[in-house]
Every structure is written in structure tokens, then in C-alpha cells.
Amino acid sequence: MGRFDGKTAIVTGAAQGIGEAYARALAREGANVVVADLNAGLGEQVAERITADGGTALCVKADVAEPDSVTAMAESTVDRFGGIDLLVNNAAIYGGMKLNLLLAVDWDYYRKFMAVNFDGALLCTRAVVPHMRKRGGGSIVNQSSTAAWTYSSFYGVAKAGLNSLTQQLATELGGSGIRINAIAPGPTDTEATRTVTPAAIVAQMVERLPIKRMGTPDDLVGMCLFLLSGEAGWITGQIFNVDGGQVMR
């Protein structure tokens, strides 16, 4: 028996990296998993791997910055599995992210970035909440970052906003039996991180960590599963650092 037998979970940005790790872990624990990603080709591969491992998965192409797209994502999930119980708002522009100052970043790029990295979590939450209410409740995990507490330009701004969104929505959703929390990873070894952050800067970050290594997607999975599960039934509106001790607060 898995912790999520009979439950249906949507994981956005699940075609690779941390999102894929979340999706595969949820499937191992018995959940029906929707692999939601703009890259449907990679998403299909993840869904196929989950199925080959004995799980149940559906790939849905979704652009979290577009209201119609996330509404269709929720409807496709309900059509296939009958309802929605769990949501992980993991999708973000990160790999290949353009680095620049807040004072200099191209405005159109900034607005697109915030539409995905901040607004996307709210749009997806709004899309699934009516379906969670029909099930009597649910649980949501937002993917934040320790960038919210360190200088990280517009990426940090988006993650700080996501933390506040998590806290605000906890109040709005609590009466419906829906909990919402966030995970704030520290430096995590993914392909996206390797494309964004120069190796020398990564080495400096690791040297300052109490636990002197990069995190891995597997380091984050346990917290995600815990927060989505009934074991965290009296926890909402919280941001949990999983960061090797990078930020102590």
C-alpha cells in the first residue's frame, strides 16, 4: 500500500529534473500522476517510464502562464482519473534563464518570466481548487528556492512572491480542507543549474554550506511527499528549506 493510493496528483514542469523526481516518487507511492509540461515530448517519456515501472501516468502539455491551458490541464486530469487531490507547482523558467539586473532586464522578458515563475502557481491553483473541493480537500506544494532570501535578481523576487502567495492562499483554502506549503531548495545539482550557474560560483556556494555538497532531486522528494500526505495534516502556509543549511531562519 502506498501513501497516495487512489489519489491523483498533477506535477507541473515534470518532464525533467526535480519535477520528474517528484512525479516518479508520487507514482511509486500509488498516485495517478499527471506529468504536466510545455515540453510534451519529454513529458511523454517520463509518463512512459512511470508506466513501465508499474505506475499510472498521463502526460498533458501545459503552459502554466496561460489560463486556458491550465484549465484544460485540470479538465484532462478529471476526465482521465475522476478528480484531483494533489498539486505540485514546480514549473519555472530556470534552465537557460537570462541573467541580468532588475534595473536592466528586458521588460518583456521580465513579464514573461514572472508570468511563469510566479503567476503560474496561482493560475494552476485556481484551476484545481474547484476539483479538490469536490473531493473534500487536497494538498498543494509550491516550489520556492533559497533565492528568496539571497540576492538573485528577478528570480529571487519571483520566489519571494511565491512564498507570500503560499501564506496568503493557506488562509483562503484552509476552510475547504486544502493545505498549501512550499519547499525552498538550496543549490541543487540538476541539468538546469549546470546551464545557469558557472561552476566556480557553485563551488563557492558549496564551500559555504554546513553540509558541503550540492543537493540532489532525491534530497527534496521526502519533504514533498510528506507535505502532500496526511502526515502533514496540520501544516499549512509554511516554507521549508531543504538546503544543506544554506539559510538558517
Side-chain angles (χ1 to χ4, degrees):
M1 296 289 290
R3 276 186 281 183
F4 303 109
D5 286 348
K7 302 290 187 181
T8 295
I10 298 173
V11 183
T12 66
Q16 56 190 324
I18 295 170
E20 178 182 355
Y22 289 159
R24 298 184 72 170
L26 280 161
R28 287 194 299 270
E29 290 281 355
N32 305 314
V33 177
V34 173
V35 177
D37 205 287
L38 194 57
N39 189 328
L42 287 180
E44 288 286 0
Q45 293 177 26
V46 172
E48 288 169 3
R49 283 194 288 270
I50 289 172
T51 302
D53 290 338
T56 304
L58 169 70
C59 174
V60 174
K61 183 174 182 178
D63 182 347
V64 300
E66 294 295 333
D68 290 345
S69 183
V70 297
T71 297
M73 174 190 74
E75 290 174 349
S76 295
T77 302
V78 173
D79 288 345
R80 173 69 180 273
F81 297 119
I84 301 170
D85 304 284
L86 312 169
L87 169 67
V88 181
N89 282 314
N90 172 74
I93 295 172
Y94 179 54
M97 177 175 61
K98 298 178 182 178
L99 301 179
N100 208 330
L101 302 174
L102 279 164
L103 294 174
V105 61
D106 176 80
W107 189 247
D108 288 340
Y109 180 78
Y110 172 83
R111 292 185 65 177
K112 175 61 177 177
F113 184 92
M114 296 301 285
V116 173
N117 289 42
F118 175 65
D119 296 335
L122 178 56
L123 285 174
C124 289
T125 299
R126 288 167 58 143
V128 305
V129 160
H131 303 289
M132 288 184 171
R133 284 176 173 151
K134 290 178 182 177
R135 305 275 258 199
S139 184
I140 300 168
V141 168
N142 290 331
Q143 187 81 333
S144 182
S145 169
T146 53
W149 295 287
T150 61
Y151 175 71
S152 303
S153 188
F154 48 88
Y155 183 73
V157 170
K159 295 304 186 181
L162 193 63
N163 290 350
S164 182
L165 180 71
T166 301
Q167 294 168 334
Q168 301 301 319
L169 285 174
T171 299
E172 295 189 14
L173 296 173
S176 298
I178 301 170
R179 300 180 298 102
I180 182 166
N181 294 286
I183 297 172
T188 305
D189 187 19
T190 63
E191 183 178 349
T193 297
R194 291 190 290 271
T195 64
V196 170
T197 310
I201 293 178
V202 170
Q204 291 172 9
M205 289 191 294
V206 170
E207 180 58 30
R208 290 194 292 266
L209 295 176
I211 300 176
K212 297 190 182 303
R213 66 169 177 84
M214 290 278 280
T216 69
D218 286 344
D219 288 319
L220 307 173
V221 163
M223 180 61 77
C224 184
L225 296 183
F226 168 69
L227 291 174
L228 291 172
S229 76
E231 298 166 41
W234 207 45
I235 300 174
T236 196
Q238 305 302 312
I239 294 88
F240 292 87
N241 285 19
V242 184
D243 65 353
Q246 181 187 25
V247 175
M248 298 186 186
R249 39 186 284 279

